[in-house]
Amino acid sequence: RIEAPTPPNPQMRGDGGAPQETGFSLAASSPGFEAIVAPDAELVELARGFGLNEGPAWFPDENGGFVLVSGLLDNVIYKVAQDGEVSVFLDYAGYTGDDPEHVGTQTRAGRSHVLRIGPSCTGRDPQGRLVWCADNDRMVMRLEKDGTRTVLSAGHEGKRFSGPNDIAITRSGAIYLTENSFGLRDYATNPDKQMPDGVFLIRDGRTIRLLDDKQLGGIPNGVALSPDEKYLYLTAGHTLIKRYPIKADGTLGPGADFTSGVGIGDGMKTDTAGNLYSTSGGGPGIVRITSPTGKLLGTINLPIYGKEPKRQICATNVAFGDADGKSLFITACDVLYRIRLKIAGIVPGPG
């Protein structure tokens, strides 16, 4: 006689019943929050159906500009136009190999068990070119004007990356990279993991290790530059952001705890006043706004979908865009949102 198995307790994000449905809201923790986000600001859904998305980056063009969004499940970078039309901008952006049975990390999108095989970060360099994290190729890539691809870095001292995750690009073109195990099947237990998670500087054809995960104090993920490029912000796990002074040679001085709490763990950007916008990661979707002194100003709380089948609404990263730089684009797993702000953000690229 074979006994029926007992269902396990929830093990992964997405297990269990549908969450309590809630709407979009703004939560001010300081009077300074309303100087950034108007109380009647609207959250606009630009596009949906991504499953899991990441890496928004704004690119201007003759039609008013567009947003690039990484399809973590789809192995492409999508282009989202001003009217919300979605098209493929770059195919095979996360993995170009011929062994798909042995790449991709298992995760969840709502209730669905899925493999994350697509690209992660996107960014724009001082020449206006796309730079992105090809997670499962384990490389940082650049798209040239003629459509060819250049490998900017595939690792350090002869060892391969495990999964380039996020980048911050300076005005001179140097790239700060966070790198972790998200590009490997079975994460850190994969026998092909060749070096610890870490933070790197890619500049002038060289890749320099700045920190490993133990020195940082948590898994590297989000990274952002202060507007004057004197400081680098790094997430250390899911509740802490640290700040490091940047030396003249691009390396980092001693870091210090900057802020902690909700809305931390994934991508980050700064505005022109030096406020830091961080994201919560897998869900629920929270964008945290922190002052340059480390004070929590408030949070942008994305809707929670409470029906079946589950749709995952999260906050994986943000980017500033539109002609005035006052639109904040939020990749929210299944959705791309836009919210208008009172202050402009840092928009990478020429000028």
Side-chain angles (χ1 to χ4, degrees):
R1 179 173 176 267
I2 299 176
E3 293 187 6
T6 301
N9 292 324
Q11 307 259 330
M12 297 178 63
R13 182 179 68 241
D15 288 342
Q20 180 67 41
E21 186 157 345
T22 62
F24 157 69
S25 66
L26 301 170
S29 299
S30 165
F33 184 71
E34 292 188 0
I36 298 171
V37 189
D40 60 351
E42 296 182 357
L43 186 71
V44 177
E45 181 182 298
L46 292 181
R48 69 160 64 188
F50 298 99
L52 291 176
N53 60 15
E54 239 282 14
W58 169 259
F59 281 69
D61 69 0
E62 65 278 5
N63 298 315
F66 57 88
V67 185
L68 294 184
V69 175
S70 298
L72 288 170
L73 309 183
D74 302 341
N75 204 14
V76 305
I77 294 175
Y78 289 107
K79 174 183 175 180
V80 182
Q82 288 279 2
D83 62 1
E85 181 181 356
V86 179
S87 58
V88 172
F89 181 83
L90 187 68
D91 212 342
Y92 301 101
Y95 181 64
T96 56
D98 58 4
D99 189 21
E101 298 300 321
H102 297 94
V103 297
T105 51
Q106 184 179 6
T107 186
R108 294 288 285 272
R111 284 198 181 278
S112 301
H113 294 256
V114 294
L115 285 177
R116 183 170 52 195
I117 195 171
S120 185
C121 76
T122 61
R124 189 165 178 252
D125 77 1
Q127 286 72 48
R129 297 169 295 189
L130 169 67
V131 178
W132 80 98
C133 297
D135 280 18
N136 286 269
D137 278 338
R138 300 161 70 176
M139 299 173 180
V140 178
M141 305 284 288
R142 183 177 68 210
L143 186 67
E144 307 298 344
K145 298 294 186 179
D146 63 1
T148 59
R149 306 180 186 201
T150 298
V151 178
L152 298 180
S153 182
H156 177 249
E157 295 183 341
K159 296 181 179 179
R160 293 185 66 193
F161 288 136
S162 302
N165 186 267
D166 205 355
I167 54 173
I169 305 175
T170 70
R171 287 187 286 272
S172 66
I175 300 169
Y176 289 95
L177 166 72
T178 57
E179 197 272 338
N180 52 45
S181 303
F182 293 172
L184 294 175
R185 181 74 63 94
D186 299 324
Y187 296 95
T189 63
N190 189 301
D192 197 31
K193 183 170 178 61
Q194 299 181 17
M195 56 183 174
D197 298 344
V199 181
F200 297 85
L201 172 63
I202 304 169
R203 187 175 67 176
D204 301 327
R206 297 179 59 216
T207 300
I208 303 168
R209 177 186 288 278
L210 301 176
L211 298 166
D212 62 29
D213 56 342
K214 291 184 173 57
Q215 293 168 316
L216 180 62
I219 297 174
N221 195 318
V223 56
L225 289 156
S226 62
D228 58 10
E229 299 188 352
K230 292 183 178 180
Y231 293 96
L232 190 72
Y233 296 98
L234 293 164
T235 61
H238 297 288
T239 59
L240 176 64
I241 295 173
K242 300 183 76 171
R243 185 172 72 174
Y244 292 81
I246 299 175
K247 299 179 181 179
D249 63 357
T251 60
L252 305 179
D257 293 356
F258 177 68
T259 191
S260 61
V262 300
I264 291 173
D266 220 319
M268 302 188 291
K269 298 293 188 297
T270 53
D271 66 23
T272 53
N275 300 301
L276 181 68
Y277 299 66
S278 60
T279 54
S280 56
I286 299 171
V287 178
R288 175 192 181 98
I289 304 179
T290 306
S291 78
T293 62
K295 180 181 180 180
L296 171 63
L297 299 179
T299 58
I300 300 170
N301 304 305
L302 304 182
I304 294 175
Y305 183 78
K307 299 180 177 64
E308 297 286 2
K310 290 182 180 178
R311 288 175 55 223
Q312 187 172 337
I313 305 298
C314 69
T316 56
N317 215 327
V318 293
F320 290 95
D322 281 333
D324 59 2
K326 293 184 179 181
S327 286
L328 184 71
F329 297 94
I330 307 168
T331 46
C333 284
D334 195 51
V335 180
L336 174 67
Y337 290 115
R338 177 179 61 201
I339 185 171
R340 292 285 294 169
L341 305 178
K342 294 182 176 181
I343 189 169
I346 302 299
V347 182

